[in-house]
Amino acid sequence: MRTEPNAIVQVRGLTKRFGELEVLRSMDFEVNAKEVVCVLGPSGSGKSTLLRCINHLEKPDGGIVVVDGEVIGFRRAGNALQAISKSRLARQRSQLGMVFQRFNLFPHMTILQNVTEGPISVLGLNANTARERARALLERVGLSEKSNSYPNQLSGGQQQRVAIARALAMQPKVMLFDEPTSALDPELVGEVLEVMKDLAEAGMTMIIVTHELSFAREAADRVVFMDNGVIVEEGPPAALLESPKNPRTREFLARVL
């Protein structure tokens, strides 16, 4: 495992099983502050499970995830780790903004209410401050005129941009994206990727599971290729996407390009 003094995310010996299937196998993985890492790999390689373990939506069977020096889901008790309370876990997760394939917006709430819900209920922000933050973020993602609309009145691309604004409203240290464009019609993909490029340029630390190779080439600092629960190869986008060293990486890229 690489040891970086600036690593904000450290995954150490991460293992996850579902029954007899070992989805992640003693994985070591680090991400530096302000780094954009795109994770590629075939279906079933463990990419989404990696993200879900980082924010403890899935409890690891082995290993730990450390974000900004804090073990996610646990507290240290001497040489042991003890599970933390749900409220403390919610606080930890607020530092890890998550954007899913599906938008998961509350259908009965307006767009503004969707974005303010987390800061008010989890962070204890007062309503006026939360609304100011939400309006600024909706303007940032190009949806300031939609604050009083409901999710079913928006296109898929607009809903995903709201989901990004909702995650940013928690002022996370790291943003996690799990194939954020895979559920969108092709003509709507670009508007979401543009928002993500803007975040990358602004210095947001991001881990992105994606099949959008052109986006990875343009926006990522590093590309990681996963297969069978391990990291097969990683490197700068140009090197990995154009001259991969591992035969399995070459085979995958030949199929998707």
Side-chain angles (χ1 to χ4, degrees):
M1 180 179 67
R2 301 179 310 129
T3 302
E4 298 285 354
N6 202 30
I8 190 170
V9 178
Q10 297 174 304
V11 173
R12 298 172 178 167
L14 188 64
T15 299
K16 180 62 185 177
R17 303 180 190 88
F18 295 104
E20 296 297 314
L21 180 64
E22 192 172 40
V23 180
L24 297 176
R25 298 187 287 157
S26 297
M27 177 180 286
D28 291 332
F29 175 66
E30 292 187 351
V31 177
N32 291 336
K34 299 187 178 182
E35 188 178 20
V36 177
V37 178
C38 285
V39 183
L40 311 179
S43 296
S45 60
K47 308 182 301 297
S48 294
T49 301
L50 170 62
L51 292 191
R52 293 177 66 84
C53 284
I54 288 174
N55 71 359
H56 215 72
L57 288 174
E58 298 287 354
K59 184 178 178 181
D61 293 304
I64 59 171
V65 175
V66 181
V67 176
D68 201 21
E70 190 172 3
V71 181
I72 301 300
F74 301 95
R75 65 179 183 88
R76 299 186 189 276
N79 293 325
L81 292 174
Q82 294 181 347
I84 59 177
S85 66
K86 289 183 178 179
S87 60
R88 185 172 174 185
L89 179 58
R91 281 271 178 176
Q92 286 187 337
R93 283 189 181 134
S94 72
Q95 299 303 300
L96 293 158
M98 183 83 172
V99 178
F100 300 88
Q101 296 177 30
R102 297 290 175 178
F103 325 120
N104 296 332
L105 301 177
F106 296 115
H108 62 288
M109 292 184 179
T110 67
I111 298 311
L112 187 68
Q113 289 169 333
N114 266 276
V115 179
T116 59
E117 173 67 16
I120 292 172
S121 62
V122 177
L123 301 183
L125 221 60
N126 71 65
N128 287 334
T129 302
R131 282 193 289 269
E132 285 180 16
R133 182 184 296 181
R135 290 191 180 99
L137 287 168
L138 288 173
E139 182 173 359
R140 184 175 182 181
V141 301
L143 291 171
S144 55
E145 78 285 358
K146 299 292 186 181
S147 61
N148 293 321
S149 300
Y150 287 86
N152 65 4
Q153 297 173 311
L154 274 58
S155 70
Q158 289 172 328
Q159 289 187 60
Q160 193 62 295
R161 283 187 279 156
V162 173
I164 293 172
R166 179 179 60 181
L168 290 172
M170 303 297 284
Q171 297 187 327
K173 296 173 181 175
V174 181
M175 285 286 287
L176 309 174
F177 293 86
D178 187 6
E179 298 192 30
T181 60
S182 64
L184 300 178
D185 292 333
E187 66 269 22
L188 301 177
V189 169
E191 65 189 63
V192 174
L193 295 181
E194 282 302 315
V195 171
M196 294 169 64
K197 287 176 187 176
D198 288 343
L199 291 177
E201 290 172 3
M204 173 62 73
T205 306
M206 301 162 69
I207 306 173
I208 305 163
V209 171
T210 184
H211 291 297
E212 301 286 345
L213 299 188
S214 60
F215 171 81
R217 183 180 286 107
E218 184 177 344
D221 298 299
R222 178 161 47 108
V223 175
V224 171
F225 174 68
M226 284 182 63
D227 194 25
N228 291 321
V230 299
I231 293 176
V232 174
E233 187 172 355
E234 61 181 303
L240 189 138
L241 296 175
E242 296 171 16
S243 304
K245 295 183 174 67
N246 190 282
R248 182 66 187 95
T249 314
R250 290 197 295 269
E251 177 189 8
F252 172 79
L253 291 174
R255 289 181 176 179
V256 299
L257 285 173

